[in-house]
Amino acid sequence: MIRLIGVELTRLRWRRAVLLMLAAMLVVPVVIAVIALVDQQPLGPDAYAQAEQQAAEEAKQPYVQEGLQACLDDPVDFGVAPGEDAEQVCRDYNVPTADQFLDYNPLDLAQARDDSGLAVAVIVGLIALLVGTTFAGHDWNTGSMSNQLLFETRRVRVWSAKAVAVVLVTGVVAAIGSTVFWLMIAARFWLDDLVIPDGVLLDSLQQGWRGAGVAALGALGGFALTMLSRSTVFTLGVLFGVSVAGGILISLLVDDPGWIDPTVNAAAVIEDGKLYYVDVPESCYADASGSYATSDSDCFGEKTRSLGDGLIYLGLLSAAISGASVASYRRRDVP
Amino acid sequence: MAELVIEATGLRKEFRSRKGTRVAVHDLDLAVPAGGVHGFLGPNGSGKTTTIRMLLGLARATRGEMRLFGQQVPAHLPAVIDRVGAVVESPKFSPNFTGRRNLLLLARTIGVPDAQVDRAVETVGLTGRDRDRYKSYSLGMKQRLAIAATLLKDPQLLILDEPTNGLDPAGIREIRETIRDLGERGVTVLLSSHILAEVQQVCTSATIIGNGRLLASGRVDDLIGSAGASAYVVEVPDPAPAGEALAAAGLVATPAPDGLRVETDDPALVTRTLGEAGIWLTALTPQRRDLESVFLELTAADTLGHGEGAR
């Protein structure tokens, strides 16, 4: 088996299209990191103190106070939900904050996890999926699969060796790419002698590695689907169709998409839990004005999908696709 | 009885589609003895390639039993596949890899040292071109590479499906020599080919199938000999009186380009009859049946008998 995996790793390494995509999995994080570093800068204590001072002076302006008072007088009109802290919400709406007086967008590792870091994970994951489909599709398109089976007839071993090679390579490359991304972001802090809060860099790196794991699963899914359909184009068409039609169907038919939507579950794994939004029941609207009339938790419109739930979902999905793929590959005639 | 390298009994393959079920191989029995070159003949769509693909585990038989080297396949195919080299239909390799890289991947799959690749490349005459991309190869070079791939295993059984497709006359001759040489070295070769003259030249035995059914099988000499009466072409100065004399002796003589064609297996009767009539023949040429005529007779009869299509 080790020998077969070695052969598949070599085959993968010799395939130019795959190499280009693997290179993209490394280049994309670097490009996104460069864009983030050009657009944002780490926030030093002096800059933030100055911005806070400006915000405090602005808050004293009469128009700010008037707006705040109007909100406090009639919070419902300002969209404050029942049970919410009206004073806090009104202050959030009306009183300027230090962020608004900064000369540049602050570079924040924790925040980057939700935007550029997530973007890296998503794009790298999609490329990994393409690697999986391309790798398998080439063997079918050229007919070389039958030649391979004349040298190793145990089809489950062949399938497994190819799958291991795809998962291993995409996982490692995605992990390297995300690690480089976070180290580039962190390097900006170190260059300015700014302190990164305890654990924040590790959390960010861990998010990147979880993203690499999801990318590897995406590659496995792409590979398994292509081994099932025997065509890269068909697989990509199906994935595109499912992503479009599936999204519409989920929004139409399912109140809580958390248990079925792959994007929510993938995000739950990458981000260590995912906050998502659901439609609130009609019962939450008690009067004609549409104001919230109950403090029932179902009326909050927010739910969280945990990392564990996401892992179970992705694991089951991968197992189902792989199982169908192996069963088909074992039984069907090879052209 | 000689040991059988390939043995198939009641082999059947059905292809199901929305249009219905199509039977490509009908309860075929196949026996290939060890050693020598065995021809596997049949018209296009007669089920040759499907049979080969079933033997090699690429297609699943609907019914029937198959054995390679006495081992039941496909269940025990992994135990014998290292002794089997095969080219099925057209060569199938990765077009963007060089010929050498394609062979290296296959060699490493079975743990054969890379040096064996060099030897195989040299054997098929691809040295110097093995580092070119496969997609730049001519059809003949692709066939050679496919044969090189079979040689990586040092096989005891070689299954070649139309190995000379696309080769020029020199290439065909080389491959023929290679096949004959392998057969003489003790390798059993199953040669599927349309070129019947080629099969007759190199094969010691043959199986003929049509519409997925066995039509004839045995030694090539026996197949030719058992297929009907012999004939002789008689060259005489004046065919007309010769024809009358032969007819009077009860022989069937018909005009032929070089004289008269006489349907008989007794040449002495021809010379005696003509001599007694005072006609001296200038040549008496036996008209031996060849594999092609046997093949055409058998497959034509089969086509008339069974109208079903097969692959």
Side-chain angles (χ1 to χ4, degrees):
Chain A
M1 187 64 186
I2 298 292
R3 188 168 68 203
L4 262 186
I5 293 171
V7 169
E8 294 308 328
L9 286 171
T10 306
R11 192 190 310 282
L12 211 144
R13 186 162 55 85
W14 282 350
R15 218 159 258 174
R16 273 187 310 171
V18 169
L19 275 186
L20 283 172
M21 283 186 265
L22 292 176
M25 288 172 69
L26 293 173
V27 170
V28 163
V30 171
V31 170
I32 293 178
V34 168
I35 291 170
L37 292 173
V38 168
D39 188 45
Q40 301 169 322
Q41 290 181 35
L43 199 61
D46 294 344
Y48 196 76
Q50 188 184 349
E52 272 189 327
Q53 190 183 348
Q54 286 177 291
E57 285 171 12
E58 188 70 15
K60 291 174 191 163
Q61 296 295 321
Y63 79 90
V64 174
Q65 294 302 323
E66 286 164 13
L68 179 60
Q69 192 56 51
C71 177
L72 290 172
D73 289 345
D74 192 356
V76 173
D77 258 14
F78 282 77
V80 180
E84 280 189 306
D85 181 348
E87 183 166 350
Q88 183 59 49
V89 174
C90 286
R91 289 192 72 79
D92 289 346
Y93 284 168
N94 293 279
V95 179
T97 61
D99 295 348
Q100 295 163 350
F101 293 90
L102 292 169
D103 294 334
Y104 44 80
N105 294 321
L107 179 61
D108 178 351
L109 256 74
Q111 179 61 36
R113 286 205 294 267
D114 291 337
D115 42 51
S116 52
L118 191 59
V120 167
V122 169
I123 296 173
V124 165
L126 288 173
I127 299 173
L129 190 146
L130 283 177
V131 169
T133 56
T134 305
F135 181 61
H138 186 268
D139 285 342
W140 292 109
N141 294 343
T142 59
S144 64
M145 183 65 80
S146 63
N147 219 359
Q148 293 170 40
L149 289 175
L150 294 178
F151 284 74
E152 174 53 81
T153 60
R154 289 166 289 193
R155 296 192 187 183
V156 176
R157 284 168 66 101
V158 173
W159 192 100
S160 304
K162 289 177 183 291
V164 167
V166 164
V167 168
L168 206 63
V169 169
T170 52
V172 167
V173 172
I176 292 172
S178 67
T179 302
V180 168
F181 170 81
W182 286 112
L183 291 180
M184 283 178 70
I185 301 288
R188 186 70 178 81
F189 283 81
W190 295 329
L191 286 172
D192 285 2
D193 290 328
L194 297 173
V195 176
I196 299 172
D198 281 347
V200 171
L201 178 58
L202 183 60
D203 286 347
S204 303
L205 286 169
Q206 285 175 343
Q207 173 177 309
W209 298 333
R210 285 194 301 272
V214 171
L217 280 181
L220 175 64
F223 166 79
L225 276 175
T226 309
M227 291 294 279
L228 187 64
S229 72
R230 305 182 168 193
S231 162
T232 303
V233 175
F234 184 85
T235 300
L236 293 178
V238 166
L239 287 173
F240 179 73
V242 166
S243 65
V244 173
I248 294 170
L249 284 176
I250 287 172
S251 66
L252 288 176
L253 302 176
V254 183
D255 290 333
D256 179 357
W259 65 275
I260 193 169
D261 191 336
T263 57
V264 170
N265 286 280
V269 173
I270 295 169
E271 298 181 72
D272 192 6
K274 173 67 180 172
L275 182 72
Y276 63 99
Y277 300 97
V278 294
D279 291 336
V280 294
E282 289 290 330
S283 59
C284 292
Y285 299 98
D287 56 39
S289 70
S291 299
Y292 289 104
T294 173
S295 59
D296 191 323
S297 63
D298 284 347
C299 295
F300 286 158
E302 289 179 352
K303 288 205 169 182
T304 302
R305 189 79 175 158
S306 71
L307 168 64
D309 289 342
L311 277 176
I312 290 170
Y313 175 93
L314 293 184
L316 289 176
L317 185 65
S318 301
I321 295 171
S322 299
S325 177
V326 169
S328 159
Y329 184 58
R330 275 191 70 191
R331 290 196 60 84
R332 287 171 65 191
D333 293 352
V334 174
Chain B
M1 187 178 171
E3 179 199 349
L4 294 177
V5 172
I6 299 175
E7 198 178 355
T9 316
L11 195 59
R12 185 177 182 86
K13 178 66 178 177
E14 296 173 357
F15 290 106
R16 294 187 179 87
S17 69
R18 272 172 287 181
K19 292 177 183 171
T21 300
R22 188 169 57 86
V23 182
V25 178
H26 289 263
D27 307 321
L28 179 70
D29 294 337
L30 178 65
V32 177
V37 184
H38 187 90
F40 191 38
L41 313 176
N44 280 338
S46 60
K48 300 188 299 292
T49 299
T50 303
T51 302
I52 288 173
R53 290 163 52 73
M54 285 191 285
L55 284 168
L56 295 170
L58 297 176
R60 184 176 286 264
T62 307
R63 204 166 62 211
E65 279 195 10
M66 298 173 285
R67 289 178 186 277
L68 292 178
F69 298 105
Q71 299 274 350
Q72 198 155 28
V73 293
H76 297 105
L77 195 54
V80 295
I81 197 67
D82 285 354
R83 300 157 71 186
V84 182
V87 180
V88 185
E89 289 184 300
S90 54
K92 289 165 182 166
F93 293 98
S94 293
N96 288 319
F97 291 174
T98 63
R100 183 180 169 74
R101 280 190 167 182
N102 272 300
L103 293 183
L104 281 172
L105 286 172
L106 296 174
R108 290 174 188 175
T109 300
I110 52 172
V112 166
D114 292 356
Q116 181 77 10
V117 169
D118 297 326
R119 281 196 288 275
V121 163
E122 193 180 339
T123 302
V124 297
L126 275 180
T127 307
R129 292 298 307 273
D130 58 318
R131 290 172 198 275
D132 292 348
R133 287 201 182 160
Y134 176 74
K135 65 182 177 187
S136 72
Y137 284 8
S138 67
L139 192 53
M141 289 167 69
K142 288 175 180 174
Q143 289 284 13
R144 286 163 198 247
L145 189 73
I147 291 172
T150 67
L151 300 178
L152 293 173
K153 294 180 179 179
D154 199 10
Q156 294 166 6
L157 168 63
L158 202 53
I159 298 177
L160 302 173
D161 190 8
E162 305 289 352
T164 53
N165 260 0
L167 294 183
D168 56 22
I172 290 173
R173 188 172 179 172
E174 272 180 43
I175 295 296
R176 188 194 302 146
E177 294 301 322
T178 304
I179 290 169
R180 187 180 282 143
D181 183 46
L182 287 166
E184 286 169 0
R185 282 187 358 217
V187 176
T188 306
V189 182
L190 179 68
L191 173 65
S192 164
S193 177
H194 286 111
I195 305 172
L196 299 168
E198 176 186 301
V199 171
Q200 193 171 342
Q201 283 186 57
V202 295
C203 292
T204 46
S205 57
T207 293
I208 302 176
I209 66 170
N211 283 318
R213 290 183 171 83
L214 178 68
L215 300 179
S217 186
R219 293 184 56 79
V220 171
D221 291 343
D222 294 341
L223 286 173
I224 295 169
S226 66
S230 300
Y232 290 83
V233 169
V234 179
E235 291 181 36
V236 287
D238 186 359
E244 287 168 11
L246 289 167
L251 292 167
V252 177
T254 51
D258 299 325
L260 292 168
R261 178 184 168 87
V262 185
E263 304 296 335
T264 180
D265 57 357
D266 185 2
L269 177 61
V270 175
T271 53
R272 191 169 61 243
T273 301
L274 292 175
E276 286 170 357
I279 300 168
W280 307 109
L281 49 83
T282 53
L284 182 68
T285 312
Q287 295 297 289
R288 292 199 186 281
R289 303 175 63 115
D290 58 10
L291 199 53
E292 185 170 334
S293 57
V294 174
F295 174 83
L296 290 174
E297 278 176 26
L298 287 169
T299 53
D302 181 66
T303 304
L304 290 172
H306 310 280
E308 300 164 67
R311 188 178 167 197

